[in-house]
Amino acid sequence: MKNTAIKNETVEKLKGVINAENTLSSCCERLSHLIKNGRIKDQFRMLSATAQLNEKLLIGRLSHLGVDTFMVGEKCKSCRVNPDSFSLLGAINLGIEITGIAIKFYRDLYAMSTQEEKKLFTKLLKEKIQQRDALKKERRFDHKNKENFIDQYCFSQIIPRLSEKL
């Protein structure tokens, strides 16, 4: 009974972090097309690529636990961010928020995992912390502090959906 409860909780946490990685991947890819600063554009593309790899890896872990049918939520499929409503600070804040959610999921998964899995979740956790810290560093350089579409829509609509399984 206890093993089943732990397995079910692990599956739910994996689904949550897969959704976070999927959102990070699609969101960062979309935002990278709107970013003019080449260094930050590359950083967002790298965040997207890493999130895609992590998502595939985590889906493999989910499959290993016997879950073969999992549909990732398409939260950002019809992204409404466009050049007129875009702000670099909002994009950076959104990246920080999503990586923060992934960090919480990875910490939970680490605490629940076997010794073998701890290595994987330690690696992924360190990666997300480095990504979040890099984004925080970028945020310090952007001195604009205006409300924007990302703050109004993504933070009120997307982030709560990602956090609901925490």
Side-chain angles (χ1 to χ4, degrees):
M1 186 72 160
K2 185 178 178 183
N3 284 340
T4 304
I6 291 171
K7 179 184 174 187
N8 290 341
E9 188 176 354
T10 301
V11 165
E12 289 306 308
K13 295 291 181 182
L14 277 170
K15 287 179 179 180
V17 77
I18 290 168
N19 270 320
E21 292 285 12
N22 176 269
T23 302
L24 189 63
S25 172
S26 60
C27 184
C28 286
E29 178 63 28
R30 170 78 173 115
L31 292 174
S32 73
H33 295 291
L34 300 175
I35 295 172
K36 291 179 173 82
N37 180 313
R39 182 175 42 82
I40 298 174
K41 178 187 280 260
D42 289 343
Q43 191 171 1
F44 269 71
R45 283 186 178 146
M46 200 161 71
L47 281 170
S48 177
T50 302
Q52 285 177 0
L53 292 173
N54 291 350
E55 180 184 355
K56 289 176 184 173
L57 178 71
L58 295 166
I59 288 173
R61 296 296 316 143
L62 201 56
S63 180
H64 179 73
L65 291 172
V67 179
D68 294 323
T69 55
F70 173 63
M71 194 75 127
V72 178
E74 295 289 335
K75 292 168 199 65
C76 298
K77 189 172 186 171
S78 57
C79 182
R80 299 178 189 152
V81 177
N82 60 51
D84 296 336
S85 62
F86 176 76
S87 111
L88 183 56
L89 180 60
I92 291 170
N93 286 337
L94 183 62
I96 291 169
E97 192 70 27
I98 296 171
T99 55
I101 290 168
I103 287 168
K104 289 175 187 172
F105 277 117
Y106 284 130
R107 284 186 175 143
D108 289 349
L109 285 164
Y110 176 85
M112 300 165 50
S113 62
T114 64
Q115 200 60 32
E116 177 186 318
E117 292 172 322
K118 284 188 187 295
K119 290 178 186 177
L120 170 67
F121 294 126
T122 298
K123 176 186 170 284
L124 294 172
L125 178 60
K126 285 180 181 179
E127 179 181 89
K128 285 297 163 211
I129 290 171
Q130 288 174 342
Q131 290 173 349
R132 183 193 60 194
D133 291 348
L135 288 170
K136 284 182 176 181
K137 184 178 174 184
E138 292 299 338
R139 181 172 59 188
R140 281 186 256 145
F141 294 117
D142 191 334
H143 300 291
K144 300 173 197 167
N145 194 8
K146 60 182 180 180
E147 196 170 295
N148 60 70
F149 183 85
I150 290 174
D151 291 337
Q152 295 168 6
Y153 179 74
C154 295
F155 283 112
S156 65
Q157 301 292 320
I158 303 303
I159 298 302
R161 286 190 247 159
L162 287 175
S163 301
E164 51 190 36
K165 293 198 194 276
L166 283 175

